Amino acid sequence: MRGQANLIALATAIVVLSGALVAGLAIVDGAFGDADRDATERGTAVELAETLVRSDSSLATRRNVLDATRTQRFDGERLADRYPSLSKHDVEIALDGDVLARTGEGRTGTTVRRIVLVEERQSAAWTPSIEGTEPAVTLPRRTDRAILKLSPPAGTSMTTVRVDGRVELRNESGLAGEYEVPVSRLTTATLSFEADGELTEGDVTVEYFPTRTRSAILEVSVDA
Amino acid sequence: MADRAVSAVIGKALEASIVVLYIGLLTTTLYAGVLPEYRTAAATEVTDRTLADASGEIGTAIPQSGGETTARVDVPTTIRGETYRLHVREGSLVLDHPHPTVGDRTPLVLPESVVSIEGEWHSADPAVVRVEATDDGYAITLETGDP
Amino acid sequence: MRDRRGQLSTPVVEAGVGVVLIFAVLTTFALGVPAADTRQAQLDQYAEDAATVLADEQPQHRDATRLSELARSEAGFDREADRLDRQLDELLPDTLLYQVETEHGVVGMERPGGVAHGSATVPTAYGDVTVRVWYV
């Protein structure tokens, strides 16, 4: 009688243990299921974001600085062309919440954020007041290039144009017409002119390209 | 009286043998059925992680401007007990593994100035990524050896 | 009858222990896969980006960059500190607080201890400048 009671207890114990094992394995199954997809999603998003903010990116003027016009023209199709391997993923690229490009569903998966500046280049025209034979003027704003229209009065030849002391244009027989000169964007540039006669206001007009910069967050989301 | 004593011994022996049988059955079932599945599931996780790390290290090796760089890349020597290959196919980093259910690919998103990427890695050999600046842009090679 | 000593029979106790053990082991599987520390990586990236943008900036005077002016001397620091503060305030999203540390002083908020933060250090000719950010 005693032996049989023990056997029943043993049988019950075995059943309970087996049940616990099965339940536990079911839990483990679930845990394995959703574990590491995030690592590859995140890796891809990080790479894509880095590609966009690098200085060699077609959207960027320099590292972490995007050009406003180019971001507006940014095409999701070009993204898909260059990275066909992304076609099976849902990718979304947004700048300050505005979606620049998207394949598939909206913002899903892992999102990576980068701080960038968005630079808008405008065009400004300026006629500096100059006088004398070797005037020098400083541009009102910083720019990366300038288009100079030189029209010295009849009988006067402009021989040299210097930007920040560096000779950019020189012609002994006279400069006239439209010239584009590169300018260091790090400081407001000084233009100096040399001519063999008196120059007055209007002989030189300058078109320059100041920038307006704002900060923005670039968001790249990838869903595998 | 004697009956009771005998049945006690037989009872305990019976219990013991049932327990041993149960453990044996359990072990066999687990090793034959459940365990290989879990080894493969774990291998899949390691594969994903390896691909993510390797592609990340390739991206980090590319300099911001100019120059040539070489960098060591660490990958696990074996996954699920076997060595494997890593190579690039159609813009993805592919992990080739002898086991039929292990193996994966991850898209490789490289900067616009990268013009080519080639080569392969064997997990048993030290992996090195070499980035060279050519006239058109960066050329990436996956090699083995010392950086 | 004399064997019913008023305690649970051994197999039941053993089964109970076995069940607890199994669940303990399997729970470590279920819970033990740690989520990769994505917040830390994102914070560090924010700090790197902020440092990259700041490193490019021109101070009010001179040719050097603002960060090197800050690191150069007390006078340089005093001159550029306010501007840097405003610049960072504008640059970073509202969800982040920030701090810039140089030898000559600290710009920004006080960093609470024990809070996850990202940092990036910019070496300049006169010393290191460290940018730290953390979530509000």
Side-chain angles (χ1 to χ4, degrees), chain C residues 21-85:
Chain C
L21 191 65
I22 288 175
F23 272 122
V25 170
L26 293 175
T27 308
T28 61
F29 277 111
L31 302 175
V33 186
D37 198 354
T38 56
R39 271 169 70 105
Q40 184 64 52
Q42 178 69 80
L43 282 171
D44 282 330
Q45 187 67 79
Y46 277 140
E48 278 275 356
D49 282 341
T52 306
V53 168
L54 290 177
D56 211 25
E57 275 298 307
Q58 304 312 300
Q60 295 171 284
H61 318 275
R62 307 172 187 247
D63 308 305
T65 68
R66 178 163 293 156
L67 287 188
S68 69
E69 278 301 298
L70 271 163
R72 182 188 213 146
S73 63
E74 287 244 16
F77 181 86
D78 290 333
R79 195 169 50 229
E80 300 293 340
D82 274 339
R83 236 152 166 218
L84 186 78
D85 200 346

Short mmCIF file of all heavy atoms in Angstrom, two decimals, chain C residues 21-85:
data_model
loop_
_atom_site.label_atom_id
_atom_site.label_comp_id
_atom_site.label_asym_id
_atom_site.label_seq_id
_atom_site.Cartn_x
_atom_site.Cartn_y
_atom_site.Cartn_z
N LEU C 21 13.90 24.58 -10.26
CA LEU C 21 15.20 24.62 -10.92
C LEU C 21 15.06 24.85 -12.42
O LEU C 21 15.74 25.69 -13.02
CB LEU C 21 15.94 23.30 -10.65
CG LEU C 21 17.40 23.28 -11.05
CD1 LEU C 21 18.17 24.27 -10.21
CD2 LEU C 21 17.96 21.87 -10.86
N ILE C 22 14.14 24.07 -13.02
CA ILE C 22 13.94 24.21 -14.46
C ILE C 22 13.54 25.63 -14.82
O ILE C 22 14.09 26.25 -15.73
CB ILE C 22 12.88 23.21 -14.96
CG1 ILE C 22 13.46 21.80 -14.94
CG2 ILE C 22 12.43 23.57 -16.36
CD1 ILE C 22 12.45 20.74 -15.30
N PHE C 23 12.59 26.16 -14.06
CA PHE C 23 12.14 27.52 -14.39
C PHE C 23 13.24 28.55 -14.17
O PHE C 23 13.37 29.52 -14.91
CB PHE C 23 10.90 27.88 -13.57
CG PHE C 23 9.64 27.46 -14.24
CD1 PHE C 23 8.76 26.60 -13.62
CD2 PHE C 23 9.35 27.90 -15.53
CE1 PHE C 23 7.59 26.20 -14.26
CE2 PHE C 23 8.19 27.51 -16.16
CZ PHE C 23 7.31 26.64 -15.54
N ALA C 24 14.06 28.32 -13.14
CA ALA C 24 15.15 29.25 -12.89
C ALA C 24 16.10 29.26 -14.09
O ALA C 24 16.49 30.34 -14.58
CB ALA C 24 15.89 28.85 -11.62
N VAL C 25 16.50 28.09 -14.56
CA VAL C 25 17.44 28.02 -15.68
C VAL C 25 16.83 28.64 -16.94
O VAL C 25 17.47 29.43 -17.63
CB VAL C 25 17.85 26.56 -15.94
CG1 VAL C 25 18.62 26.46 -17.23
CG2 VAL C 25 18.70 26.04 -14.78
N LEU C 26 15.58 28.28 -17.21
CA LEU C 26 14.99 28.76 -18.45
C LEU C 26 14.68 30.25 -18.41
O LEU C 26 14.68 30.91 -19.43
CB LEU C 26 13.73 27.95 -18.76
CG LEU C 26 14.03 26.48 -19.10
CD1 LEU C 26 12.75 25.70 -19.27
CD2 LEU C 26 14.87 26.39 -20.36
N THR C 27 14.42 30.74 -17.21
CA THR C 27 14.17 32.18 -17.12
C THR C 27 15.41 32.98 -17.49
O THR C 27 15.31 34.04 -18.10
CB THR C 27 13.71 32.56 -15.70
OG1 THR C 27 12.64 31.70 -15.33
CG2 THR C 27 13.26 34.00 -15.64
N THR C 28 16.58 32.44 -17.12
CA THR C 28 17.78 33.18 -17.50
C THR C 28 17.91 33.24 -19.01
O THR C 28 18.42 34.21 -19.57
CB THR C 28 19.05 32.54 -16.93
OG1 THR C 28 19.17 31.22 -17.44
CG2 THR C 28 19.04 32.52 -15.43
N PHE C 29 17.46 32.21 -19.69
CA PHE C 29 17.44 32.28 -21.16
C PHE C 29 16.48 33.35 -21.65
O PHE C 29 16.80 34.14 -22.52
CB PHE C 29 17.01 30.93 -21.76
CG PHE C 29 18.12 29.96 -21.87
CD1 PHE C 29 18.16 28.84 -21.07
CD2 PHE C 29 19.16 30.17 -22.77
CE1 PHE C 29 19.18 27.94 -21.16
CE2 PHE C 29 20.19 29.27 -22.87
CZ PHE C 29 20.21 28.14 -22.06
N ALA C 30 15.31 33.35 -21.06
CA ALA C 30 14.28 34.26 -21.56
C ALA C 30 14.66 35.71 -21.31
O ALA C 30 14.45 36.57 -22.14
CB ALA C 30 12.94 33.92 -20.92
N LEU C 31 15.22 35.99 -20.13
CA LEU C 31 15.50 37.37 -19.78
C LEU C 31 16.93 37.77 -20.10
O LEU C 31 17.24 38.93 -20.22
CB LEU C 31 15.27 37.60 -18.28
CG LEU C 31 13.88 37.29 -17.76
CD1 LEU C 31 13.86 37.45 -16.25
CD2 LEU C 31 12.86 38.20 -18.39
N GLY C 32 17.81 36.78 -20.22
CA GLY C 32 19.24 37.08 -20.16
C GLY C 32 19.82 37.70 -21.40
O GLY C 32 20.97 38.05 -21.42
N VAL C 33 19.06 37.84 -22.47
CA VAL C 33 19.63 38.46 -23.67
C VAL C 33 19.53 39.97 -23.50
O VAL C 33 18.46 40.52 -23.65
CB VAL C 33 18.87 38.01 -24.93
CG1 VAL C 33 19.57 38.53 -26.16
CG2 VAL C 33 18.77 36.51 -24.96
N PRO C 34 20.59 40.65 -23.19
CA PRO C 34 20.49 42.08 -22.88
C PRO C 34 20.27 42.89 -24.15
O PRO C 34 20.89 42.63 -25.17
CB PRO C 34 21.84 42.42 -22.24
CG PRO C 34 22.78 41.41 -22.79
CD PRO C 34 21.99 40.19 -23.14
N ALA C 35 19.41 43.88 -24.08
CA ALA C 35 19.24 44.77 -25.23
C ALA C 35 20.52 45.57 -25.38
O ALA C 35 21.04 46.09 -24.42
CB ALA C 35 18.06 45.71 -24.97
N ALA C 36 21.00 45.64 -26.57
CA ALA C 36 22.23 46.39 -26.82
C ALA C 36 22.01 47.83 -26.38
O ALA C 36 20.92 48.35 -26.46
CB ALA C 36 22.59 46.32 -28.29
N ASP C 37 23.07 48.46 -25.87
CA ASP C 37 22.89 49.79 -25.29
C ASP C 37 22.78 50.83 -26.39
O ASP C 37 23.73 51.51 -26.71
CB ASP C 37 24.06 50.09 -24.36
CG ASP C 37 23.73 51.22 -23.42
OD1 ASP C 37 22.65 51.81 -23.60
OD2 ASP C 37 24.53 51.50 -22.54
N THR C 38 21.58 50.93 -26.96
CA THR C 38 21.43 51.83 -28.09
C THR C 38 21.37 53.28 -27.65
O THR C 38 21.74 54.18 -28.39
CB THR C 38 20.16 51.49 -28.88
OG1 THR C 38 19.05 51.54 -27.99
CG2 THR C 38 20.27 50.11 -29.46
N ARG C 39 20.89 53.52 -26.44
CA ARG C 39 20.82 54.90 -25.98
C ARG C 39 22.21 55.50 -25.88
O ARG C 39 22.44 56.64 -26.25
CB ARG C 39 20.13 54.98 -24.62
CG ARG C 39 18.63 55.12 -24.72
CD ARG C 39 17.98 54.91 -23.39
NE ARG C 39 18.26 56.02 -22.48
CZ ARG C 39 17.36 56.97 -22.17
NH1 ARG C 39 16.17 56.96 -22.70
NH2 ARG C 39 17.68 57.92 -21.32
N GLN C 40 23.14 54.72 -25.35
CA GLN C 40 24.50 55.22 -25.19
C GLN C 40 25.11 55.56 -26.54
O GLN C 40 25.74 56.60 -26.71
CB GLN C 40 25.34 54.17 -24.46
CG GLN C 40 26.75 54.62 -24.15
CD GLN C 40 26.75 55.78 -23.18
OE1 GLN C 40 26.15 55.73 -22.12
NE2 GLN C 40 27.42 56.86 -23.57
N ALA C 41 24.92 54.65 -27.50
CA ALA C 41 25.48 54.90 -28.83
C ALA C 41 24.89 56.16 -29.43
O ALA C 41 25.61 56.97 -30.04
CB ALA C 41 25.22 53.70 -29.74
N GLN C 42 23.58 56.36 -29.28
CA GLN C 42 22.94 57.54 -29.85
C GLN C 42 23.45 58.80 -29.16
O GLN C 42 23.74 59.81 -29.83
CB GLN C 42 21.42 57.42 -29.71
CG GLN C 42 20.66 58.60 -30.22
CD GLN C 42 20.73 58.73 -31.73
OE1 GLN C 42 20.03 58.07 -32.48
NE2 GLN C 42 21.61 59.61 -32.20
N LEU C 43 23.60 58.76 -27.84
CA LEU C 43 24.11 59.93 -27.11
C LEU C 43 25.53 60.27 -27.56
O LEU C 43 25.88 61.43 -27.77
CB LEU C 43 24.09 59.67 -25.60
CG LEU C 43 22.72 59.82 -24.93
CD1 LEU C 43 22.79 59.33 -23.49
CD2 LEU C 43 22.24 61.24 -24.97
N ASP C 44 26.36 59.26 -27.70
CA ASP C 44 27.73 59.51 -28.15
C ASP C 44 27.73 60.11 -29.55
O ASP C 44 28.54 60.99 -29.86
CB ASP C 44 28.54 58.20 -28.14
CG ASP C 44 28.99 57.81 -26.75
OD1 ASP C 44 29.20 58.72 -25.93
OD2 ASP C 44 29.14 56.61 -26.48
N GLN C 45 26.84 59.64 -30.39
CA GLN C 45 26.78 60.18 -31.75
C GLN C 45 26.35 61.63 -31.73
O GLN C 45 26.88 62.46 -32.48
CB GLN C 45 25.82 59.34 -32.59
CG GLN C 45 25.81 59.70 -34.05
CD GLN C 45 27.11 59.38 -34.73
OE1 GLN C 45 27.40 58.25 -35.07
NE2 GLN C 45 27.93 60.40 -34.93
N TYR C 46 25.37 61.96 -30.89
CA TYR C 46 24.95 63.35 -30.75
C TYR C 46 26.14 64.23 -30.35
O TYR C 46 26.36 65.31 -30.91
CB TYR C 46 23.88 63.49 -29.67
CG TYR C 46 22.46 63.20 -30.11
CD1 TYR C 46 21.59 62.49 -29.28
CD2 TYR C 46 21.97 63.68 -31.31
CE1 TYR C 46 20.29 62.25 -29.65
CE2 TYR C 46 20.66 63.43 -31.69
CZ TYR C 46 19.82 62.71 -30.86
OH TYR C 46 18.52 62.47 -31.22
N ALA C 47 26.91 63.76 -29.38
CA ALA C 47 28.06 64.56 -28.91
C ALA C 47 29.08 64.72 -30.03
O ALA C 47 29.63 65.81 -30.23
CB ALA C 47 28.69 63.88 -27.69
N GLU C 48 29.35 63.65 -30.76
CA GLU C 48 30.29 63.72 -31.88
C GLU C 48 29.83 64.73 -32.92
O GLU C 48 30.61 65.54 -33.41
CB GLU C 48 30.37 62.36 -32.58
CG GLU C 48 31.25 61.35 -31.95
CD GLU C 48 32.70 61.49 -32.38
OE1 GLU C 48 33.00 62.34 -33.25
OE2 GLU C 48 33.52 60.76 -31.83
N ASP C 49 28.56 64.65 -33.27
CA ASP C 49 28.03 65.58 -34.27
C ASP C 49 28.14 67.02 -33.78
O ASP C 49 28.54 67.91 -34.54
CB ASP C 49 26.56 65.25 -34.57
CG ASP C 49 26.42 64.06 -35.49
OD1 ASP C 49 27.41 63.71 -36.16
OD2 ASP C 49 25.32 63.48 -35.54
N ALA C 50 27.77 67.25 -32.52
CA ALA C 50 27.87 68.61 -31.98
C ALA C 50 29.31 69.09 -32.04
O ALA C 50 29.59 70.22 -32.45
CB ALA C 50 27.36 68.64 -30.55
N ALA C 51 30.24 68.23 -31.67
CA ALA C 51 31.65 68.62 -31.70
C ALA C 51 32.10 68.91 -33.12
O ALA C 51 32.85 69.87 -33.36
CB ALA C 51 32.51 67.50 -31.09
N THR C 52 31.67 68.09 -34.07
CA THR C 52 32.03 68.32 -35.47
C THR C 52 31.56 69.68 -35.94
O THR C 52 32.30 70.44 -36.57
CB THR C 52 31.41 67.25 -36.38
OG1 THR C 52 31.77 65.97 -35.91
CG2 THR C 52 31.86 67.42 -37.81
N VAL C 53 30.31 70.01 -35.63
CA VAL C 53 29.76 71.28 -36.07
C VAL C 53 30.47 72.44 -35.38
O VAL C 53 30.84 73.44 -36.02
CB VAL C 53 28.24 71.33 -35.80
CG1 VAL C 53 27.71 72.73 -35.98
CG2 VAL C 53 27.52 70.36 -36.69
N LEU C 54 30.70 72.33 -34.08
CA LEU C 54 31.36 73.41 -33.34
C LEU C 54 32.79 73.61 -33.81
O LEU C 54 33.29 74.73 -33.85
CB LEU C 54 31.37 73.09 -31.85
CG LEU C 54 30.03 73.13 -31.13
CD1 LEU C 54 30.23 72.73 -29.69
CD2 LEU C 54 29.42 74.50 -31.22
N ALA C 55 33.46 72.52 -34.15
CA ALA C 55 34.88 72.63 -34.51
C ALA C 55 35.07 73.48 -35.74
O ALA C 55 36.15 73.99 -35.99
CB ALA C 55 35.46 71.24 -34.72
N ASP C 56 34.03 73.65 -36.50
CA ASP C 56 34.14 74.37 -37.74
C ASP C 56 33.86 75.86 -37.60
O ASP C 56 33.98 76.61 -38.54
CB ASP C 56 33.13 73.77 -38.74
CG ASP C 56 33.62 73.87 -40.14
OD1 ASP C 56 34.85 73.95 -40.32
OD2 ASP C 56 32.79 73.89 -41.04
N GLU C 57 33.46 76.26 -36.43
CA GLU C 57 32.91 77.61 -36.27
C GLU C 57 33.98 78.66 -36.06
O GLU C 57 34.99 78.42 -35.40
CB GLU C 57 31.97 77.63 -35.07
CG GLU C 57 30.58 77.20 -35.42
CD GLU C 57 29.95 78.11 -36.45
OE1 GLU C 57 29.93 79.33 -36.22
OE2 GLU C 57 29.50 77.62 -37.48
N GLN C 58 33.73 79.84 -36.56
CA GLN C 58 34.65 80.94 -36.40
C GLN C 58 34.28 81.77 -35.19
O GLN C 58 33.13 82.02 -34.94
CB GLN C 58 34.61 81.84 -37.64
CG GLN C 58 34.90 81.10 -38.90
CD GLN C 58 36.12 80.23 -38.74
OE1 GLN C 58 37.19 80.72 -38.47
NE2 GLN C 58 35.95 78.93 -38.89
N PRO C 59 35.27 82.20 -34.42
CA PRO C 59 34.97 83.07 -33.29
C PRO C 59 34.75 84.50 -33.78
O PRO C 59 34.80 84.78 -34.96
CB PRO C 59 36.23 82.98 -32.44
CG PRO C 59 37.30 82.73 -33.43
CD PRO C 59 36.70 81.94 -34.55
N GLN C 60 34.48 85.38 -32.82
CA GLN C 60 34.20 86.76 -33.22
C GLN C 60 35.44 87.44 -33.78
O GLN C 60 35.35 88.33 -34.59
CB GLN C 60 33.68 87.55 -32.01
CG GLN C 60 32.35 87.01 -31.54
CD GLN C 60 31.94 87.62 -30.22
OE1 GLN C 60 32.46 87.29 -29.18
NE2 GLN C 60 30.98 88.52 -30.28
N HIS C 61 36.59 87.07 -33.28
CA HIS C 61 37.82 87.69 -33.78
C HIS C 61 38.74 86.61 -34.30
O HIS C 61 38.44 85.44 -34.21
CB HIS C 61 38.53 88.46 -32.65
CG HIS C 61 37.59 89.24 -31.80
ND1 HIS C 61 37.17 90.50 -32.12
CD2 HIS C 61 36.97 88.93 -30.65
CE1 HIS C 61 36.34 90.92 -31.18
NE2 HIS C 61 36.21 90.01 -30.28
N ARG C 62 39.84 86.97 -34.80
CA ARG C 62 40.92 86.07 -35.16
C ARG C 62 40.57 85.00 -36.21
O ARG C 62 39.46 84.89 -36.65
CB ARG C 62 41.47 85.34 -33.93
CG ARG C 62 41.88 86.27 -32.83
CD ARG C 62 42.23 85.48 -31.59
NE ARG C 62 42.46 86.34 -30.45
CZ ARG C 62 43.64 86.48 -29.88
NH1 ARG C 62 44.68 85.88 -30.35
NH2 ARG C 62 43.78 87.25 -28.83
N ASP C 63 41.56 84.22 -36.51
CA ASP C 63 41.39 83.17 -37.52
C ASP C 63 41.16 81.81 -36.92
O ASP C 63 40.76 80.90 -37.60
CB ASP C 63 42.64 83.07 -38.41
CG ASP C 63 43.01 84.42 -38.97
OD1 ASP C 63 42.15 85.03 -39.59
OD2 ASP C 63 44.16 84.82 -38.75
N ALA C 64 41.44 81.68 -35.65
CA ALA C 64 41.34 80.34 -35.06
C ALA C 64 39.87 79.94 -34.97
O ALA C 64 38.98 80.71 -35.22
CB ALA C 64 41.98 80.34 -33.68
N THR C 65 39.62 78.73 -34.60
CA THR C 65 38.23 78.31 -34.44
C THR C 65 37.77 78.64 -33.03
O THR C 65 38.56 78.82 -32.11
CB THR C 65 38.06 76.80 -34.66
OG1 THR C 65 38.70 76.12 -33.60
CG2 THR C 65 38.65 76.40 -35.98
N ARG C 66 36.44 78.65 -32.86
CA ARG C 66 35.88 79.02 -31.56
C ARG C 66 36.36 78.08 -30.47
O ARG C 66 36.66 78.51 -29.37
CB ARG C 66 34.37 79.00 -31.66
CG ARG C 66 33.71 79.32 -30.33
CD ARG C 66 32.26 79.71 -30.52
NE ARG C 66 32.13 80.95 -31.23
CZ ARG C 66 31.05 81.31 -31.92
NH1 ARG C 66 30.03 80.51 -32.02
NH2 ARG C 66 31.01 82.47 -32.54
N LEU C 67 36.42 76.81 -30.77
CA LEU C 67 36.80 75.87 -29.73
C LEU C 67 38.24 76.10 -29.28
O LEU C 67 38.56 75.98 -28.10
CB LEU C 67 36.63 74.43 -30.24
CG LEU C 67 35.19 73.96 -30.36
CD1 LEU C 67 35.18 72.48 -30.68
CD2 LEU C 67 34.40 74.22 -29.10
N SER C 68 39.12 76.39 -30.20
CA SER C 68 40.50 76.59 -29.78
C SER C 68 40.63 77.88 -28.99
O SER C 68 41.45 77.98 -28.07
CB SER C 68 41.45 76.57 -30.98
OG SER C 68 41.25 77.71 -31.78
N GLU C 69 39.81 78.86 -29.29
CA GLU C 69 39.82 80.08 -28.49
C GLU C 69 39.37 79.80 -27.07
O GLU C 69 39.94 80.33 -26.11
CB GLU C 69 38.87 81.13 -29.11
CG GLU C 69 39.48 81.89 -30.24
CD GLU C 69 40.74 82.62 -29.83
OE1 GLU C 69 40.65 83.50 -28.97
OE2 GLU C 69 41.81 82.28 -30.35
N LEU C 70 38.37 78.96 -26.93
CA LEU C 70 37.89 78.59 -25.60
C LEU C 70 38.98 77.90 -24.80
O LEU C 70 39.11 78.11 -23.61
CB LEU C 70 36.70 77.64 -25.73
CG LEU C 70 35.33 78.24 -25.83
CD1 LEU C 70 34.37 77.20 -26.35
CD2 LEU C 70 34.87 78.71 -24.47
N ALA C 71 39.74 77.06 -25.47
CA ALA C 71 40.73 76.27 -24.75
C ALA C 71 42.00 77.05 -24.49
O ALA C 71 42.81 76.66 -23.66
CB ALA C 71 41.05 75.01 -25.56
N ARG C 72 42.16 78.15 -25.22
CA ARG C 72 43.46 78.81 -25.21
C ARG C 72 43.77 79.48 -23.89
O ARG C 72 44.85 79.35 -23.35
CB ARG C 72 43.47 79.84 -26.33
CG ARG C 72 44.75 80.56 -26.45
CD ARG C 72 44.59 81.68 -27.45
NE ARG C 72 45.83 81.90 -28.16
CZ ARG C 72 45.90 82.28 -29.42
NH1 ARG C 72 44.80 82.45 -30.11
NH2 ARG C 72 47.05 82.49 -29.97
N SER C 73 42.84 80.27 -23.38
CA SER C 73 43.16 81.06 -22.19
C SER C 73 41.87 81.45 -21.50
O SER C 73 40.79 81.34 -22.06
CB SER C 73 43.91 82.33 -22.59
OG SER C 73 43.05 83.13 -23.40
N GLU C 74 42.00 81.93 -20.29
CA GLU C 74 40.82 82.38 -19.54
C GLU C 74 40.11 83.50 -20.29
O GLU C 74 38.89 83.53 -20.36
CB GLU C 74 41.26 82.91 -18.17
CG GLU C 74 41.66 81.82 -17.22
CD GLU C 74 40.73 81.75 -16.02
OE1 GLU C 74 39.63 82.33 -16.08
OE2 GLU C 74 41.12 81.11 -15.04
N ALA C 75 40.89 84.39 -20.84
CA ALA C 75 40.28 85.51 -21.56
C ALA C 75 39.52 85.01 -22.77
O ALA C 75 38.40 85.44 -23.05
CB ALA C 75 41.37 86.50 -21.97
N GLY C 76 40.14 84.10 -23.49
CA GLY C 76 39.49 83.51 -24.66
C GLY C 76 38.21 82.81 -24.25
O GLY C 76 37.17 82.93 -24.91
N PHE C 77 38.27 82.10 -23.17
CA PHE C 77 37.10 81.39 -22.67
C PHE C 77 35.98 82.36 -22.34
O PHE C 77 34.83 82.20 -22.77
CB PHE C 77 37.49 80.56 -21.45
CG PHE C 77 36.34 79.76 -20.89
CD1 PHE C 77 36.06 78.51 -21.40
CD2 PHE C 77 35.52 80.29 -19.89
CE1 PHE C 77 34.99 77.78 -20.91
CE2 PHE C 77 34.46 79.55 -19.39
CZ PHE C 77 34.20 78.30 -19.90
N ASP C 78 36.31 83.38 -21.57
CA ASP C 78 35.27 84.33 -21.17
C ASP C 78 34.62 84.98 -22.37
O ASP C 78 33.42 85.23 -22.39
CB ASP C 78 35.88 85.42 -20.27
CG ASP C 78 36.26 84.86 -18.92
OD1 ASP C 78 35.62 83.86 -18.52
OD2 ASP C 78 37.18 85.39 -18.28
N ARG C 79 35.41 85.24 -23.38
CA ARG C 79 34.90 85.94 -24.54
C ARG C 79 33.94 85.05 -25.33
O ARG C 79 32.93 85.52 -25.83
CB ARG C 79 36.06 86.38 -25.42
CG ARG C 79 35.68 87.40 -26.45
CD ARG C 79 36.90 88.00 -27.10
NE ARG C 79 37.83 86.98 -27.56
CZ ARG C 79 39.14 86.98 -27.30
NH1 ARG C 79 39.67 87.95 -26.63
NH2 ARG C 79 39.90 86.01 -27.76
N GLU C 80 34.28 83.79 -25.47
CA GLU C 80 33.51 82.93 -26.37
C GLU C 80 32.42 82.11 -25.69
O GLU C 80 31.58 81.52 -26.35
CB GLU C 80 34.46 81.96 -27.09
CG GLU C 80 35.53 82.63 -27.92
CD GLU C 80 34.95 83.36 -29.13
OE1 GLU C 80 33.82 83.05 -29.53
OE2 GLU C 80 35.63 84.25 -29.66
N ALA C 81 32.46 82.08 -24.35
CA ALA C 81 31.58 81.14 -23.64
C ALA C 81 30.11 81.39 -23.93
O ALA C 81 29.36 80.46 -24.22
CB ALA C 81 31.85 81.21 -22.14
N ASP C 82 29.67 82.64 -23.84
CA ASP C 82 28.24 82.90 -24.03
C ASP C 82 27.77 82.52 -25.42
O ASP C 82 26.71 81.93 -25.61
CB ASP C 82 27.96 84.39 -23.82
CG ASP C 82 27.73 84.69 -22.35
OD1 ASP C 82 27.41 83.73 -21.62
OD2 ASP C 82 27.88 85.84 -21.95
N ARG C 83 28.58 82.87 -26.39
CA ARG C 83 28.21 82.57 -27.76
C ARG C 83 28.08 81.08 -27.98
O ARG C 83 27.19 80.59 -28.66
CB ARG C 83 29.30 83.10 -28.67
CG ARG C 83 28.70 84.02 -29.63
CD ARG C 83 29.18 85.04 -30.27
NE ARG C 83 28.29 85.42 -31.36
CZ ARG C 83 28.76 85.82 -32.50
NH1 ARG C 83 30.03 85.82 -32.70
NH2 ARG C 83 27.92 86.24 -33.43
N LEU C 84 29.02 80.35 -27.38
CA LEU C 84 28.99 78.90 -27.52
C LEU C 84 27.74 78.32 -26.88
O LEU C 84 27.10 77.42 -27.43
CB LEU C 84 30.24 78.27 -26.88
CG LEU C 84 30.35 76.78 -27.12
CD1 LEU C 84 30.86 76.54 -28.52
CD2 LEU C 84 31.26 76.13 -26.12
N ASP C 85 27.40 78.86 -25.72
CA ASP C 85 26.21 78.40 -25.03
C ASP C 85 24.98 78.57 -25.90
O ASP C 85 24.17 77.67 -26.09
CB ASP C 85 26.06 79.20 -23.73
CG ASP C 85 25.18 78.48 -22.72
OD1 ASP C 85 24.48 77.52 -23.12
OD2 ASP C 85 25.16 78.88 -21.56
#
